[in-house]
Amino acid sequence: MSRRLLVAGNWKQNGTVASARALTAEIIAGLTKSGDGAEYLICPAFLHMAAVSQAVQSSPGVPLQVGSQDCGVHPDGAFTGDVGAGMLVDAGCSYAIVGHSERRQLFGDTDALVAQKFGVAQEAGLVPILCVGETLEERESGKLEQVIHRQLDAVLSTVWSLENATSTSLPVIAYEPVWAIGTGKTASPEEAQEVHHLIRSRLADNAGQISDQVRIVYGGSVKPDNAAELFAQSDIDGGLIGGASLKAPDFLSIGKAADQLMRNGL
Ligand code: PGA
């Protein structure tokens, strides 16, 4: 198994241009240029993207990419307030998160819209990070599998084109149990592994062998003290980190756990 762990920071709606630039500089300063560790990604607010990309681009060799937290579905045109995939590529993005539970819950992103965003991002050359995850109520009422399958199938049935994908262009899945996001409650490594395995099996049913190469990252209160245990699970390929990604030392320390695992051959 040769999946490169991904350590992704989701900065959400936080900061200023100056603080985003400073956080980026601090992260860059803490990363080594060697290519044998994890891949790092930071996802700032749209408005901070240009400043962050500029800082990343002026540090070649550092294993750090820039991604967006969402992606509009329309091409350029009369769509007031929206940001399209082409604009994201132009601003230096290489990844786009789609279907984050905050978008689903607070902004009405449906499975169909998420699938559309996924497709548009992929078409523009961005690597989509599809977020899936159940609420506490869904978990407690035994609907976990049903919810995960529904969220995955919406994408698998419409736009997922794994046949032609190479391992570097493969989409990423983020399993983020809604009850663990920003709450300090983390799924135990075993609980998370179980769902990651469920996700990989569903991918395998639809896309066969290549699903072994798809990275499935975990998100939901990942911190420096639980990252190593989570990332060591066989189907967990890194993390999508919210709160802890806003502090460079915490983000870097989570990353070190991933680097270490990669250097030890997992
Ligand atoms: P958290 O957020 O790490 O603050 O729980 C994760 C996310 O929402 O992606």
Side-chain angles (χ1 to χ4, degrees):
M1 196 271 292
S2 57
R3 296 188 295 266
R4 188 176 184 196
L5 298 187
L6 177 66
V7 179
N10 174 8
W11 292 358
K12 307 195 179 182
Q13 188 189 319
N14 286 296
T16 60
V17 173
S19 72
R21 207 180 264 136
L23 182 52
T24 308
E26 223 183 319
I27 290 169
I28 289 172
L31 294 177
T32 53
K33 291 198 177 178
S34 80
D36 62 349
E39 179 181 13
Y40 289 74
L41 172 71
I42 45 180
C43 303
F46 289 136
L47 211 54
H48 304 156
M49 198 82 75
V52 167
S53 297
Q54 208 173 37
V56 170
Q57 276 159 19
S58 50
S59 302
V62 170
L64 180 64
Q65 310 277 336
V66 180
S68 66
Q69 300 169 17
D70 192 26
C71 174
V73 293
H74 303 289
D76 286 359
F79 304 102
T80 303
D82 217 358
V83 175
M87 290 176 168
L88 295 172
V89 172
D90 182 52
C93 270
S94 43
Y95 284 80
I97 298 172
V98 298
H100 189 279
S101 66
E102 284 148 21
R103 300 295 320 171
R104 292 179 190 263
Q105 294 198 317
L106 307 172
F107 299 94
D109 284 18
T110 59
D111 287 330
L113 183 60
V114 172
Q116 226 185 326
K117 290 181 173 183
F118 184 103
V120 166
Q122 208 174 24
E123 212 161 292
L126 297 163
V127 175
I129 301 178
L130 171 69
C131 297
V132 299
E134 80 290 0
T135 62
L136 189 58
E137 197 193 339
E138 287 163 342
R139 175 173 273 261
E140 286 177 343
S141 59
K143 295 202 183 107
L144 175 110
E145 185 169 325
Q146 188 188 324
V147 170
I148 300 292
H149 281 173
R150 195 201 71 225
Q151 292 173 338
L152 279 178
D153 290 355
V155 171
L156 287 166
S157 63
T158 53
V159 286
W160 190 281
S161 54
L162 283 175
E163 309 88 58
N164 306 318
T166 61
S167 59
T168 47
S169 65
L170 280 175
V172 174
I173 309 286
Y175 169 56
E176 299 206 305
V178 179
W179 48 272
I181 296 178
T183 58
K185 284 187 204 143
T186 321
S188 70
E190 297 72 28
E191 275 173 332
Q193 165 59 27
E194 201 180 319
V195 184
H196 281 236
H197 181 70
L198 175 80
I199 292 170
R200 198 174 304 285
S201 306
R202 192 64 161 190
L203 297 183
D205 289 346
N206 286 273
Q209 281 251 304
I210 197 149
S211 58
D212 274 346
Q213 291 177 46
V214 173
R215 291 178 293 180
I216 307 175
V217 300
Y218 169 80
S221 299
V222 177
K223 306 277 182 242
D225 62 4
N226 60 23
E229 232 191 327
L230 284 161
F231 300 169
Q233 300 297 312
S234 58
D235 285 298
I236 301 187
D237 307 313
L240 180 55
I241 299 120
S245 72
L246 293 169
K247 292 187 198 112
D250 285 2
F251 185 63
L252 290 166
S253 144
I254 291 167
K256 287 236 155 42
D259 285 342
Q260 199 69 48
L261 283 162
M262 285 216 61
R263 289 185 185 129
N264 295 342
L266 291 175

